[in-house]
Amino acid sequence: MKLRLHFVVDPMGWFCISMVLAIWLYNSFFVPKLVLLPHFYEGHIPWALVVSYYLASAFCMAALFRASTADPGRLPTDPHIPHSEREQWEMCSKCNMMRPKRSHHCSRCGHCVRRMDHHCPWINNCVGEDNHWLFLQLCFYTQVLSLFTMALDFCQYYYFQPLTTLDQEAFIALHELALIRVSAIMGLVMFGGMSSLFYTQMAGILTDTTTIEKMANFSNKIGGAGGGSKKSWQRTMAEVFGTTWKVLWFIPLRSRQPLTFPHHFRTHV
């Protein structure tokens, strides 16, 4: 997959992704300004904690940008069908184009996507073969950033030493509502929602079944194409992320290439 931008013209999707960006901006600027950096300047916390928070925030934003702008696997108008795979292709009843099996037509985007999992309004894009790995990274780093934010909110009032350069009563009066209630509630909601979504996505990947196939009860109809495969979790994850190097599974700023395995690759855990 080349690093090219892919945008979906959908006002509802733009609204949803704007809300996600607003939450990210709130947690990435408000929390460090009121909690992280003041305690760092007074020597209450190490520099590694500050760097870790900003790294989690940067990776979260990078995964969001890449997942929302990456081509999910859109089929071209005149696809090249290998002769050996013609039996694996079928006609789409909505756009009248040939597509490989396990591809689906997205009514929101108006085209077919290879191994489409679902259309996500929160990234204003489909989740398909070429950007599923980015969507997983987004779920993972959102959990990390949300948990980090909740931990900082908790430590601000129950663990960190008082800031000597601030009037504590005035600080609590001005920022308690935003810091405790808004930030902590947002972190809790985001962490709970993303944890559930991440678990669902991982369960689908490890069983080689997409969300659409689960909803349509396709797992018993597609044979070896999904649901009943006996691939190891390493191979299944490597196929999604496009590499066998596990450290690269956590890096959003790279390109993904389709991964093929030799015949002797182990298929059991």
Side-chain angles (χ1 to χ4, degrees):
M1 183 185 69
K2 297 180 180 180
L3 294 177
R4 59 182 184 273
L5 299 182
H6 170 84
F7 293 100
V8 177
V9 181
D10 180 15
M12 179 58 69
W14 292 341
F15 173 76
C16 291
I17 198 172
S18 297
M19 291 183 60
V20 175
L21 284 172
I23 295 174
W24 175 83
L25 287 171
Y26 185 92
N27 287 327
S28 298
F29 289 94
F30 181 82
V31 174
K33 179 180 179 180
L34 296 181
V35 180
L36 200 60
L37 295 179
H39 285 282
F40 169 71
Y41 293 145
E42 294 198 8
H44 300 163
I45 59 176
W47 63 266
L49 191 65
V50 179
V51 173
S52 298
Y53 188 87
Y54 277 108
L55 279 178
S57 177
F59 277 120
C60 184
M61 174 49 59
L64 174 62
F65 176 79
R66 291 292 314 282
S68 61
T69 59
D71 187 344
R74 177 177 181 175
L75 289 170
T77 55
D78 187 18
H80 172 70
I81 306 176
H83 181 75
S84 58
E85 299 179 7
R86 290 184 177 180
E87 295 183 357
Q88 302 297 323
W89 287 60
E90 58 189 10
M91 179 71 73
C92 175
S93 60
K94 296 181 179 179
C95 60
N96 295 323
M97 289 177 52
M98 294 298 295
R99 65 186 187 186
K101 290 185 177 180
R102 307 193 74 186
S103 300
H104 294 276
H105 185 90
C106 177
S107 58
R108 187 69 62 87
C109 298
H111 53 72
C112 290
V113 177
R114 295 192 310 273
R115 204 179 186 278
M116 177 179 169
D117 188 83
H118 68 286
H119 181 93
C120 180
W122 300 106
I123 64 171
N124 192 32
N125 200 1
C126 285
V127 177
E129 183 176 87
D130 288 343
N131 71 339
H132 201 165
W133 64 286
L134 292 166
F135 186 74
L136 286 177
Q137 289 184 353
L138 175 61
C139 294
F140 175 77
Y141 284 117
T142 302
Q143 291 178 81
V144 173
L145 186 60
S146 300
L147 187 61
F148 214 150
T149 300
M150 287 191 295
L152 288 174
D153 292 342
F154 177 84
C155 291
Q156 167 66 21
Y157 285 91
Y158 298 104
Y159 181 75
F160 288 153
Q161 299 178 23
L163 295 170
T164 58
T165 58
L166 294 177
D167 184 345
Q168 290 300 310
E169 294 184 359
F171 178 85
I172 292 176
L174 291 174
H175 301 301
E176 181 177 12
L177 176 62
L179 186 61
I180 287 296
R181 299 182 182 180
V182 178
S183 180
I185 290 176
M186 283 196 310
L188 181 62
V189 171
M190 293 295 291
F191 179 77
M194 283 299 176
S195 297
S196 176
L197 180 59
F198 185 74
Y199 171 80
T200 302
Q201 288 292 306
M202 289 298 298
I205 289 175
L206 296 178
T207 57
D208 200 12
T209 307
T210 66
T211 301
I212 291 179
E213 291 167 352
K214 290 180 180 179
M215 295 177 63
N217 197 21
F218 282 174
S219 59
N220 295 325
K221 301 178 182 180
I222 58 180
S229 64
K230 296 182 180 179
K231 302 176 184 177
S232 66
W233 70 270
Q234 295 98 326
R235 173 172 176 174
T236 303
M237 294 293 290
E239 288 177 347
V240 172
F241 285 93
T243 177
T244 56
W245 292 87
K246 295 181 177 61
V247 66
L248 295 180
W249 295 356
F250 298 91
I251 307 298
L253 299 177
R254 65 178 180 87
S255 61
R256 175 191 177 276
Q257 298 294 335
L259 194 63
T260 57
F261 290 92
H263 180 73
H264 62 274
F265 190 93
R266 297 178 61 183
T267 58
H268 64 276
V269 178

